């Protein structure tokens, strides 16, 4: 388990506190639509932090080729019909370039600045010169209005229970997922990033924002500097 991360509930828990069984139950949102609208048809996508394939599988169904990466072998066991690679994202070096590199699940908000830099370097290392990097950010108010909860139409409740400062601009975030038959929790470290600080972090890695893909600014299309 990574320091500052924890998870509880039935089944395997990954090093960042994610429960494999939980993520197997969570429905996909609008991510496949956002991605499809932002990249060429049939693109080869490197998905960093694919989990159980919640987004991978809809992308495959839409005709994309996906190389799915995760540090959890238990997560990757749930991924079907895609090439899978197990290992830490920040150390990945496949010696290949992809039309699209995807860094979702708010990974860019890693509490450890060096981990974030490693993640973005991996994106730059693997994106084609004329390719793009799709990044999912936290909403501007993710760490505010806590506690709060949302009842999903699928019949479960998500609660952001707390977001407590732990120093150096990092919060410890505690989340609960309540289903009729089980409850899971996850505690993780998250570094809030203003739009300006986010764009600075991309620039440090050799990326620039091409455009924000959603009205709330949570999905971003970035390209290599100079492209």
């Amino acid at each position: 388990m990574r320091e500052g991360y924890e998870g509880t509930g039935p089944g395997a828990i990954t090093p960042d506190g994610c429960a494999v069984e939980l993520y197997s139950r969570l429905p996909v949102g609008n991510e496949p639509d956002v991605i499809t609208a932002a990249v060429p048809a049939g693109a080869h996508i490197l998905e960093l932090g694919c989990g159980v394939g919640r987004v991978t599988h809809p992308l495959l169904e839409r005709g994309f080729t996906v190389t799915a990466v995760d540090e959890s072998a238990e997560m990757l066991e749930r991924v079907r019909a895609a090439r899978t690679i197990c290992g830490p994202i920040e150390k990945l070096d496949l010696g290949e370039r992809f039309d699209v590199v995807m860094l979702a699940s708010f990974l860019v908000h890693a509490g450890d600045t060096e981990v974030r830099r490693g993640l973005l370097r991996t994106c730059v290392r693997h994106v084609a010169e004329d390719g793009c990097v799709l990044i999912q950010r936290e909403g501007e108010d993710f760490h505010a209005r806590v506690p709060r909860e949302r009842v999903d139409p699928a019949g479960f409740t998500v609660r952001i229970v707390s977001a407590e400062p732990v120093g150096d601009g990092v919060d410890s975030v505690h989340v609960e997922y309540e289903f009729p038959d089980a409850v899971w929790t996850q505690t993780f470290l998250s570094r809030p990033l203003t739009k300006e600080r986010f764009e600075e972090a991309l620039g440090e890695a050799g990326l620039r924002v091409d455009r924000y893909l959603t009205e709330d600014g949570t999905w971003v299309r970035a390209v290599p500097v100079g492209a």
Side-chain angles (χ1 to χ4, degrees):
M1 192 66 61
R2 294 189 178 212
E3 185 176 354
Y5 294 74
E6 184 180 4
T8 67
I13 306 292
T14 67
D16 60 354
C18 294
V20 176
E21 181 61 33
L22 166 64
Y23 278 85
S24 297
R25 295 188 183 198
L26 294 180
V28 69
N30 69 338
E31 293 98 326
D33 293 333
V34 172
I35 295 160
T36 299
V39 305
H44 192 169
I45 299 174
L46 176 65
E47 184 184 3
L48 303 174
C50 66
V52 297
R54 190 170 54 93
V55 176
T56 314
H57 298 139
L59 293 177
L60 291 170
E61 292 169 1
R62 295 177 186 218
F64 296 104
T65 301
V66 182
T67 296
V69 180
D70 204 277
E71 68 177 351
S72 167
E74 291 91 349
M75 287 282 196
L76 290 175
E77 287 175 1
R78 309 291 181 104
V79 178
R80 306 180 306 275
R83 173 194 182 195
T84 59
I85 296 171
C86 187
I89 297 169
E90 58 268 33
K91 297 180 181 179
L92 186 72
D93 190 353
L94 300 178
E96 303 173 39
R97 299 277 181 166
F98 296 80
D99 304 319
V100 181
V101 178
M102 190 166 70
L103 187 69
S105 302
F106 312 136
L107 292 175
V108 74
H109 291 272
D112 187 328
T113 301
E114 286 306 312
V115 169
R116 183 192 69 215
R117 288 171 176 158
L119 296 173
L120 292 174
R121 282 194 296 266
T122 293
C123 293
V124 172
R125 192 158 51 238
H126 291 90
V127 68
E129 289 185 8
D130 58 349
C132 66
V133 179
L134 302 184
I135 301 171
Q136 185 182 27
R137 303 171 59 225
E138 295 174 344
E140 294 295 333
D141 62 350
F142 184 84
H143 295 253
R145 297 186 299 105
V146 177
R148 66 181 184 272
E149 71 176 36
R150 174 180 64 85
V151 179
D152 192 272
F156 63 91
T157 301
V158 182
R159 297 186 183 91
I160 310 296
V161 178
S162 59
E164 299 293 337
V166 293
D168 190 34
V170 177
D171 288 349
S172 176
V173 181
H174 184 68
V175 185
E176 293 179 354
Y177 300 84
E178 182 178 344
F179 286 73
D181 62 337
V183 175
W184 285 273
T185 73
Q186 183 182 9
T187 302
F188 57 92
L189 299 180
S190 175
R191 181 180 297 275
L193 296 173
T194 63
K195 182 179 178 181
E196 293 73 21
R197 185 66 195 99
F198 168 72
E199 294 185 1
E200 287 176 8
L202 295 191
E204 291 171 1
L207 295 169
R208 64 174 177 84
V209 171
D210 175 55
R211 65 183 186 270
Y212 288 85
L213 301 175
T214 52
E215 288 187 7
D216 61 6
T218 56
W219 276 94
V220 184
R221 187 182 192 272
V223 296
V225 171

